[in-house]
Amino acid sequence: MVKFIESELMQLRGEVYQMWTLVCNQMDQARQAVLGMNKDIASQVMVRERRVDAFELKIDSDVEDFIALYSPVAVDLRFVLAMLKINNDLERIGDYADGIARFVRDSDAETLCDELVEELRLKEMFSGVLEMMKDLQQALIDEDPLKATSVISMDDSLDKIKSASTGILVRYATAHPDSMALCMGLGGVFRKLERTGDHLTNIAEEIVFFIDAKVLKHTAEKSS
């Protein structure tokens, strides 16, 4: 029985890793789509969104089945609950990647102004999100709570870039009235990336909860 439970847990872990890789690729493709205003890449992201949704449902079902069959306790229970919550956060990040792709598909703009992209620090925003995703996946693989905790502080830089973007987009739209719709769409991209950072912070907390049985939410650690 113990070996069978371990096998089930390993399978669940593998499914979450696959989901993670899929969602990370979705966000990376969304980045490419926006920076190049490439509708073909955007379409690929939108098509794969169905795979993300299907994966989420599969993992949710597997977690529910595991709990019903084995009534796990202690670290096993913490693990499956963490996987359930991480899975849900990953699905939301996939939704944001899909939303960014839809902005590219629906936009009339064929390119983005290089100076605007640089001033907005759009590339840096995407890089920060992707780095957080990859570092957290490694933290889970290594069961390293310190690495997971260190990622939380990276969310602060995303918040700062997002905050600065609003004024930059307003000034650009004022100087280039024809770009109003584009600027509003880019504002939406920054909001989605900021929210992605929030979900990644949630994931970091779940990893620490699973490993150390600590709850970071509403504690001083989160704001340090």
Side-chain angles (χ1 to χ4, degrees), residues 141-157:
I141 291 170
D142 297 340
E143 296 192 4
D144 185 347
L146 291 178
K147 189 175 186 67
T149 304
S150 71
V151 173
I152 294 176
S153 63
M154 295 170 64
D155 188 42
D156 293 340
S157 64

Side-chain angles (χ1 to χ4, degrees):
M1 177 65 80
V2 173
K3 286 187 177 180
F4 193 74
I5 290 175
E6 289 177 357
S7 175
E8 293 280 299
L9 290 173
M10 285 299 295
Q11 181 179 333
L12 177 60
R13 185 188 286 262
E15 288 177 348
V16 171
Y17 290 164
Q18 290 178 59
M19 172 72 159
W20 207 312
T21 299
L22 174 59
V23 171
C24 193
N25 288 340
Q26 285 285 85
M27 187 57 74
D28 189 36
Q29 292 268 281
R31 174 188 66 82
Q32 295 176 46
V34 171
L35 294 176
M37 292 307 287
N38 188 313
K39 296 184 188 300
D40 290 337
I41 296 177
S43 295
Q44 293 172 24
V45 173
M46 291 160 57
V47 167
R48 281 195 301 268
E49 169 64 12
R50 289 192 289 271
R51 288 181 56 198
V52 175
D53 291 341
F55 233 131
E56 189 219 7
L57 293 174
K58 172 77 164 63
I59 293 170
D60 274 359
S61 177
D62 288 348
V63 169
E64 290 167 6
D65 289 347
F66 184 87
I67 291 173
L69 285 170
Y70 303 113
S71 301
V73 296
V75 67
D76 287 349
L77 179 60
R78 292 203 308 272
F79 174 76
V80 294
L81 290 177
M83 294 305 101
L84 181 65
K85 292 180 180 179
I86 288 171
N87 180 46
N88 293 334
D89 280 312
L90 289 172
E91 191 275 333
R92 291 299 298 140
I93 294 171
D95 283 347
Y96 294 139
D98 179 68
I100 292 170
R102 289 177 185 276
F103 152 68
V104 175
R105 180 198 64 181
D106 296 338
S107 177
D108 293 330
E110 295 183 358
T111 60
L112 295 179
C113 171
D114 290 340
E115 290 79 7
L116 177 62
V117 169
E118 185 173 349
E119 187 177 6
L120 286 170
R121 297 166 69 188
L122 181 57
K123 293 180 181 178
E124 188 177 338
M125 188 82 166
F126 270 110
S127 294
V129 164
L130 291 166
E131 184 179 354
M132 288 176 73
M133 290 191 75
K134 290 171 182 174
D135 284 354
L136 283 173
Q137 186 176 27
Q138 195 61 49
L140 179 59
I141 291 170
D142 297 340
E143 296 192 4
D144 185 347
L146 291 178
K147 189 175 186 67
T149 304
S150 71
V151 173
I152 294 176
S153 63
M154 295 170 64
D155 188 42
D156 293 340
S157 64
L158 299 184
D159 292 340
K160 290 175 182 176
I161 295 174
K162 159 62 175 63
S163 296
S165 69
T166 303
I168 294 168
L169 288 168
V170 168
R171 288 194 298 273
Y172 189 86
T174 302
H176 307 84
D178 292 344
S179 70
M180 181 66 71
L182 174 66
C183 289
M184 289 180 66
L186 285 172
V189 169
F190 276 94
R191 283 192 298 276
K192 290 176 176 65
L193 291 174
E194 180 189 39
R195 288 171 187 163
T196 295
D198 294 338
H199 282 282
L200 290 170
T201 295
N202 292 343
I203 289 174
E205 292 168 349
E206 293 306 328
I207 292 172
V208 175
F209 166 72
F210 149 56
I211 299 168
D212 285 351
K214 292 180 181 176
V215 178
L216 292 190
K217 286 182 179 179
H218 313 304
T219 68
E221 280 187 72
K222 183 175 178 181
S223 59
S224 64

